[in-house]
Amino acid sequence: MGGRAPIDTSPTSAPNPDNQDIGIAFTGVRKAFGEVLALEDVTFEIERHARIGIVGPSGGGKSTLLQLTAGLLEPDAGGINVEGETSATGRLGRCAMMPQRDLLLPWRTALDNAMIALQNRGVSRSDARAKTRPYFEHFGLAQFEDVLPAKLSGGMRQRVSFLRTLMAEKDVLLLDEPFGALDSITRAQMQEWLLRALSDVPRTVLLVTHDVEEALVLSRTVVVMSARPGRVVKVIDSDLQTAGRSRREIVTSPDFVSLKEAALEALE
């Protein structure tokens, strides 16, 4: 991707001018569903256009955390700031979510799936197609614009899903186990691809995953959560992605091994 001409990937809205450095901040957040306490005293913060990975056991409130970030839920206590927005409506306006399964509409081509967010905002079909099409070459999908999802590989479907999320033109991307449904080889390839894609299109990214290795490869900050009720048990900062290192260079480095051991120890 580095040799291709850059394309305009700018979000449609700028951050609140009073909070331009804030990406995502949770302060003492608590959330319960009836008598079930999902999250308790969750606190962390990342800067705008940084990437944070959330890892923890199943049922530990990671998906709840995503929904709180996106403004789909409100906390029972504490505060959430997403690029200066603290209300549910304001947070929702900043975020776009990529689910674990691609959820592509089977009757729409890859291009038509990718441009759904633009059409939902009232952009005409012709204009939406014209704006979305250049991304296909940029993200390794050239010549597959008019292919139906059933004819695409799992990795290609996830690229279209990511592109659909990107075309929402939000500054905050919420990735919910984006590669969880893929086999291990394809998953590693997609991690490498996403690492490069996020370098080309700067966004504030919150990644939820069960995979410590994936979190360390794709994120500069990793938050390790406990079992329910989810609490932050460790925050790991790293610079593993510096200097354009490949996934292989990252996962074979001594620093990676050390950080992975620290994260796994915190999960025990």
Side-chain angles (χ1 to χ4, degrees), residues 22-254:
I22 295 176
I24 301 171
F26 273 57
T27 306
V29 169
R30 181 183 190 273
K31 182 63 183 179
F33 299 94
E35 297 182 356
V36 178
L37 183 58
L39 297 171
E40 176 67 24
D41 194 26
V42 174
T43 298
F44 64 82
E45 180 177 340
I46 61 168
E47 296 180 350
R48 183 171 183 253
H49 289 177
R51 302 197 295 269
I52 187 167
I54 309 293
V55 297
S58 296
K62 299 187 299 299
S63 293
T64 299
L65 190 149
L66 275 181
Q67 294 177 62
L68 287 164
T69 304
L72 301 176
L73 294 173
E74 282 283 59
D76 299 323
I80 304 169
N81 187 318
V82 178
E83 296 197 340
E85 301 291 346
T86 56
S87 69
T89 301
R91 300 197 308 274
L92 180 61
R94 295 289 177 188
C95 298
M97 186 178 294
M98 179 180 175
Q100 177 176 347
R101 299 195 177 277
D102 58 72
L103 301 179
L104 300 180
L105 299 179
W107 60 88
R108 294 180 67 119
T109 65
L111 179 59
D112 288 340
N113 267 287
M115 69 185 196
I116 284 177
L118 293 174
Q119 288 187 293
N120 287 343
R121 295 213 313 269
V123 177
S124 70
R125 185 173 187 271
S126 60
D127 287 347
R129 289 174 68 88
K131 186 166 187 177
T132 306
R133 188 178 292 275
Y135 288 77
F136 274 73
E137 180 178 359
H138 200 73
F139 289 155
L141 291 165
Q143 301 181 11
F144 290 93
E145 294 90 341
D146 298 320
V147 176
L148 293 173
K151 301 295 185 180
L152 299 175
S153 68
M156 294 180 75
R157 290 172 65 105
Q158 288 302 99
R159 292 191 190 200
V160 176
S161 178
F162 177 78
L163 180 50
R164 178 186 57 197
T165 306
L166 193 65
M167 294 311 298
E169 298 183 329
K170 307 294 186 180
D171 202 45
V172 179
L173 301 183
L174 307 179
L175 311 182
D176 187 5
E177 289 277 0
F179 308 134
L182 302 177
D183 64 83
S184 60
I185 294 175
T186 305
R187 185 180 184 122
Q189 292 171 342
M190 289 305 297
Q191 289 169 2
E192 176 80 44
W193 174 82
L194 186 59
L195 188 64
R196 301 292 167 244
L198 291 174
S199 297
D200 283 356
V201 287
R203 294 290 190 273
T204 303
V205 177
L206 193 157
L207 165 72
V208 162
T209 179
H210 290 89
D211 188 338
V212 170
E213 186 172 290
E214 181 168 84
L216 287 169
V217 167
L218 296 175
S219 310
R220 292 186 179 275
T221 300
V222 175
V223 172
V224 182
M225 303 284 292
S226 68
R228 190 173 67 233
R231 298 181 173 89
V232 176
V233 295
K234 192 175 187 65
V235 177
I236 299 173
D237 294 313
S238 79
D239 58 356
L240 293 172
Q241 298 87 7
T242 58
R245 299 166 82 184
S246 68
R247 180 188 181 279
R248 182 178 180 180
E249 289 172 324
I250 290 173
V251 301
T252 56
S253 68

